[in-house]
């Protein structure tokens, strides 16, 4: 069953040692879009369903302390527990780390 209210979920992820101050706006936008893609993939939804705290599609919000915030709209076919299991999995955390490093590492 679908236990998520209105099929939407708020996701908050802590990225340790995120070099917020070292990234320019282009790098930050690339990281935000790539993390949104990873979240969409884990939630079984399309990239446009992941929005930042301002409602921008295919993006997440990253604060200076490395906290990633996003909303996933129209999550169907997954319970809150199933979604949490995917988002807390080691493979998903590894994917986020690899995504971030691929962008930062190639441009830093």
């Amino acid at each position: 069953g679908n236990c998520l209210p209105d099929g939407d979920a708020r996701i908050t992820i802590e990225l340790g040692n995120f070099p917020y101050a070292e990234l320019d706006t282009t790098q930050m936008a690339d990281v935000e879009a790539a993390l949104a893609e990873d979240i969409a993939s884990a939630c079984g939804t399309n990239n446009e369903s992941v929005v930042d705290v301002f409602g921008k599609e295919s993006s997440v919000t990253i604060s200076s302390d490395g906290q990633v915030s996003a909303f996933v709209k129209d999550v169907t076919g997954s319970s809150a527990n199933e979604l949490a299991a995917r988002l807390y999995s080691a493979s998903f955390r590894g994917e986020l780390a690899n995504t971030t490093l691929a962008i930062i590492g190639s441009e830093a």
Side-chain angles (χ1 to χ4, degrees):
N2 188 349
C3 301
L4 299 169
D6 304 321
D8 295 353
R10 180 179 178 136
I11 296 173
T12 305
I13 301 165
E14 301 284 338
L15 294 178
N17 303 316
F18 186 76
Y20 185 90
E22 298 167 27
L23 301 184
D24 62 32
T25 53
T26 302
Q27 289 170 310
M28 188 63 77
D30 288 348
V31 171
E32 289 168 350
L35 292 179
E37 190 174 323
D38 287 347
I39 291 168
S41 177
C43 293
T45 181
N46 62 33
N47 295 359
E48 294 78 32
S49 293
V50 179
V51 298
D52 67 14
V53 297
F54 304 105
K56 180 182 173 194
E57 292 182 344
S58 303
S59 188
V60 300
T61 301
I62 304 175
S63 64
S64 59
D65 62 358
Q67 180 172 294
V68 177
S69 299
F71 292 94
V72 183
K73 303 184 299 183
D74 306 322
V75 180
T76 55
S78 296
S79 70
N81 287 343
E82 290 167 337
L83 202 55
R86 284 188 236 149
L87 295 172
Y88 285 112
S89 71
S91 60
F92 177 70
R93 289 197 306 267
E95 191 175 326
L96 292 180
N98 290 340
T99 294
T100 306
L101 283 172
I103 294 167
I104 295 171
S106 67
E107 298 182 14

